[in-house]
Amino acid sequence: MRHKRYNLRAQLMKACAYCYNSNKYALNARGRNHMFGFKKELYTPEYQLAGDECAVIETSKGTIKVKFDGEGAPIHVANFCELSTMGFYDGLKFHRYVPGFVIQAGGPGYCIKGEFATNPRNSHVDGALAMARSMDPDSAGSQFYFCLGAQHNLDSGYTVFGTTVEGLDVISQLRAGDEIVHVEIVHE
């Protein structure tokens, strides 16, 4: 099963060209690129939102249920749902734990448009599900994090696309190395 997941991730990353347009250099006036030397092309998820999506995230420490904000962050929700239904997150491990800050998982991939500036409910409360990114505001893709306590200093730069409705106690127990067993998208 792990080999199948690896192939899926490899195909996804290859198809999306790591968020760069066919790896063609796009140099700026100083001879450097905007980000790592490549012209960025944003990915648009194909997943069609119904508006009632939730994620049930089974981890090695227990189950977390997240209610998505498809109205405030439709691209991020569709992206997470698309990746989840493809099995992208199944078997991945949380790779970053900062006590009192975040627990993070995901992998490299492509880039989607940031929605933090247009989402009226973009609030990093305890248990908020948000998308990690680089210095480029439109560089989020597949890496997500849960807030370990309120982190309102992130509100103006990172897109929140879900709120934990069950499993805050599980989130508080997660550490780097813990596994995402399976993510299921349910409709409620």
Side-chain angles (χ1 to χ4, degrees), residues 55-114:
V56 178
I57 304 169
E58 182 186 344
T59 73
S60 55
K61 293 285 176 79
T63 303
I64 303 161
K65 185 174 182 181
V66 175
K67 174 69 178 151
F68 290 122
D69 180 10
E71 187 177 316
I75 297 170
H76 284 70
V77 173
N79 180 62
F80 190 88
C81 291
E82 183 172 285
L83 290 171
S84 297
T85 57
M86 294 169 60
F88 181 83
Y89 294 113
D90 297 352
L92 285 182
K93 296 188 183 311
F94 286 91
H95 64 269
R96 180 178 182 223
Y97 167 69
V98 180
F101 186 53
V102 298
I103 181 78
Q104 185 172 326
Y110 48 86
C111 299
I112 59 175
K113 178 130 182 77

Side-chain angles (χ1 to χ4, degrees), residues 3-186:
H3 181 69
K4 183 179 178 184
R5 277 182 285 209
Y6 171 78
N7 284 338
L8 173 68
R9 288 187 194 109
Q11 289 171 1
L12 179 66
M13 288 186 287
K14 183 178 179 183
C16 297
Y18 287 93
C19 115
Y20 307 114
N21 185 12
S22 303
N23 290 334
K24 294 178 183 174
Y25 285 96
L27 302 178
N28 65 17
R30 292 186 178 155
R32 292 183 297 176
N33 66 348
H34 174 62
M35 185 176 157
F36 303 117
F38 303 104
K39 181 180 177 185
K40 181 174 57 169
E41 185 174 298
L42 298 178
Y43 176 70
T44 302
E46 294 179 11
Y47 184 93
Q48 296 297 309
L49 293 178
D52 61 351
E53 287 87 357
C54 291
V56 178
I57 304 169
E58 182 186 344
T59 73
S60 55
K61 293 285 176 79
T63 303
I64 303 161
K65 185 174 182 181
V66 175
K67 174 69 178 151
F68 290 122
D69 180 10
E71 187 177 316
I75 297 170
H76 284 70
V77 173
N79 180 62
F80 190 88
C81 291
E82 183 172 285
L83 290 171
S84 297
T85 57
M86 294 169 60
F88 181 83
Y89 294 113
D90 297 352
L92 285 182
K93 296 188 183 311
F94 286 91
H95 64 269
R96 180 178 182 223
Y97 167 69
V98 180
F101 186 53
V102 298
I103 181 78
Q104 185 172 326
Y110 48 86
C111 299
I112 59 175
K113 178 130 182 77
E115 297 175 291
F116 52 86
T118 57
N119 183 354
R121 291 170 297 284
N122 200 69
S123 182
H124 284 77
V125 297
D126 190 20
L129 176 64
M131 198 61 79
R133 64 174 181 81
S134 70
M135 296 298 291
D136 183 339
D138 293 332
S139 61
S142 67
Q143 288 197 36
F144 68 89
Y145 60 89
F146 286 104
C147 289
L148 305 174
Q151 307 298 332
H152 294 295
N153 56 312
L154 301 176
D155 290 350
S156 63
Y158 297 83
T159 302
V160 173
F161 62 100
T163 305
T164 300
V165 293
E166 293 175 24
L168 273 175
D169 57 328
V170 174
I171 292 171
S172 68
Q173 296 173 37
L174 289 170
R175 300 295 181 267
D178 289 335
E179 184 178 2
I180 300 169
V181 177
H182 179 66
V183 180
E184 182 177 359
I185 303 303
V186 297

